[in-house]
Amino acid sequence: MDQLLARHRKEQRDLQSQITSQKKSATKKTRKAVNASCDELESRLRARQEAERDELNGVPPTNGRDPAETADEPPSPGQTQDSEVAKDETNEMVTRRMVQSSTINDANPARKPNRQKARLARRAAEHEAHAAEAAAEAADLPNLREQERTRMMEHFRQHGLSEHDIRPDGHCLYSAIADQLGQLGIDASSPLPTEFVDQRDGPEASEEQGYRKVRRAAAAYIAQHPEDFQPFLEESLDVYVGKIRDTAEWGGQLELLALSRSYGVEIDVVQGDGRVEKILPTRDLEKAEEGKRMWLAYYRHTYGLGEHYNSLRKAS
């Protein structure tokens, strides 16, 4: 009996060493399988040792047990060698299962969702939805360019005018006025004071440079009549006059008024909405009607750069 108990204690120590070694070598992915294997080894050893003690003490084996339990009965002392071989085969099988489980987990790692890609995809979908909505709204809007052009052509026919295209380069208002001055036989340099005269604007200047003379005429008139223009400016008069004279700054209502008074002509501007705006050189309407008249076309939607002026000549 003492020899049996001593052998049992040795087997328990050996098994504990084996279990400790397997648990130390286990990874996070194989830990569950290793723990199950160790529990199974301990259960088998405990059952076998209890059976050996019962046999030595003369206790008869229990009958009528489940076949699975009978298959797990511990071997008799004469079958110890076969039991050890079976134990080694069991350990090898468990180890092989652990390796297979680890390989499967490595081949199919759990992928975490990429939140940044999900956000980008969501933003792209929202952008496409907004673009489609804007396109649908634009399709329902009227074609302002076509409507403006149609109304302009109607006014040209009513007043017997033909359109002379002006290049849309920032100088269009001044170039259109220069063309109108040529049609009326007026020298663009006539109202320029000495300090605003430029040698490049002399008689030898090309027709394409006529807008420069008109710019200087507008700048000179505004500089000489600050009380008429300063209240409408958001910057100093000198800065504003410098932009008119020396840059490609667009011209508008103030410049048309200055040019009308500087050259002493009425300027009629055909608008895209059907109106004809009259800019008079004097407050005396009767006197203004006796003078000469210029015709301009003012566009808001037809040209890609925005607002634009063309010159209108009498139709031949």
Side-chain angles (χ1 to χ4, degrees):
M1 184 65 177
D2 293 338
Q3 293 179 351
L4 179 63
L5 295 177
R7 180 167 61 81
H8 284 182
R9 287 193 293 271
K10 183 177 184 304
E11 289 176 351
Q12 291 173 359
R13 288 195 299 270
D14 292 343
L15 179 60
Q16 192 63 40
S17 297
Q18 181 182 358
I19 290 174
T20 302
S21 176
Q22 289 188 8
K23 287 186 175 182
K24 286 184 177 180
S25 61
T27 65
K28 186 176 180 180
K29 297 178 180 179
T30 62
R31 185 174 299 133
K32 186 176 181 180
V34 169
N35 290 337
S37 172
C38 293
D39 293 341
E40 183 179 359
L41 292 175
E42 287 180 333
S43 177
R44 285 178 178 274
L45 178 62
R46 186 165 50 253
R48 180 171 59 78
Q49 289 180 350
E50 289 178 358
E52 289 177 353
R53 287 194 297 270
D54 291 344
E55 183 179 0
L56 184 62
N57 293 328
V59 178
T62 304
N63 294 325
R65 290 180 299 171
D66 186 80
E69 296 180 359
T70 305
D72 292 338
E73 286 185 351
S76 64
Q79 296 174 326
T80 303
Q81 183 176 3
D82 293 339
S83 176
E84 293 295 332
V85 171
K87 183 173 69 173
D88 292 341
E89 291 177 352
T90 301
N91 292 341
E92 182 180 357
M93 179 183 65
V94 172
T95 302
R96 186 165 56 251
R97 288 178 179 176
M98 290 162 50
V99 172
Q100 291 176 351
S101 176
S102 176
T103 303
I104 293 174
N105 290 334
D106 291 341
N108 300 284
R111 294 185 178 180
K112 295 182 179 180
N114 192 319
R115 295 182 179 180
Q116 183 177 5
K117 288 184 178 180
R119 285 196 300 270
L120 293 176
R122 185 166 57 253
R123 290 177 183 174
E126 292 176 355
H127 179 73
E128 291 178 359
H130 291 323
E133 183 179 353
E137 292 180 357
D140 295 335
L141 293 176
N143 189 330
L144 298 179
R145 176 180 298 182
E146 182 178 350
Q147 291 181 358
E148 181 179 59
R149 189 64 182 169
T150 300
R151 285 193 294 264
M152 283 289 196
M153 296 304 295
E154 291 177 357
H155 282 288
F156 298 163
R157 286 193 294 269
Q158 290 176 7
H159 297 283
L161 300 171
S162 64
E163 190 170 27
H164 177 69
D165 290 331
I166 300 297
R167 184 169 57 186
D169 56 2
H171 303 292
C172 59
L173 182 146
Y174 305 100
S175 296
I177 293 293
D179 180 74
Q180 287 290 297
L181 291 173
Q183 296 298 308
L184 297 175
I186 299 175
D187 182 5
S189 302
S190 59
L192 289 178
T194 304
E195 61 270 23
F196 280 83
V197 173
D198 191 309
Q199 295 299 326
R200 293 172 295 180
D201 298 336
E204 70 280 3
S206 64
E207 181 180 354
E208 290 77 10
Q209 294 175 336
Y211 71 85
R212 298 179 58 188
K213 300 178 183 179
V214 179
R215 275 189 172 277
R216 293 183 179 277
Y221 188 88
I222 293 175
Q224 293 171 344
H225 302 82
E227 66 281 356
D228 292 336
F229 298 94
Q230 183 65 68
F232 304 99
L233 304 181
E234 297 180 355
E235 55 193 336
S236 69
L237 186 71
D238 292 339
V239 171
Y240 191 81
V241 169
K243 288 181 178 180
I244 297 174
R245 183 184 59 234
D246 302 323
T247 72
E249 187 81 7
W250 290 6
Q253 189 72 15
L254 293 181
E255 289 72 31
L256 285 173
L257 179 60
L259 292 170
S260 175
R261 293 180 179 179
S262 179
Y263 290 108
V265 297
E266 175 184 335
I267 302 177
D268 289 354
V269 183
V270 179
Q271 307 278 337
D273 58 3
R275 296 180 298 110
V276 176
E277 183 176 3
K278 294 181 177 292
I279 301 174
L280 305 177
T282 176
R283 293 182 176 87
D284 188 345
L285 298 181
E286 293 183 358
K287 184 177 180 181
E289 292 177 356
E290 297 175 357
K292 296 182 178 180
R293 178 182 301 178
M294 294 183 181
W295 285 92
L296 302 180
Y298 172 65
Y299 292 94
R300 290 179 180 271
H301 308 290
T302 302
Y303 289 82
L305 292 178
E307 300 175 358
H308 180 70
Y309 289 90
N310 273 341
S311 175
L312 300 178
R313 300 175 178 178
K314 287 295 182 178
S316 56

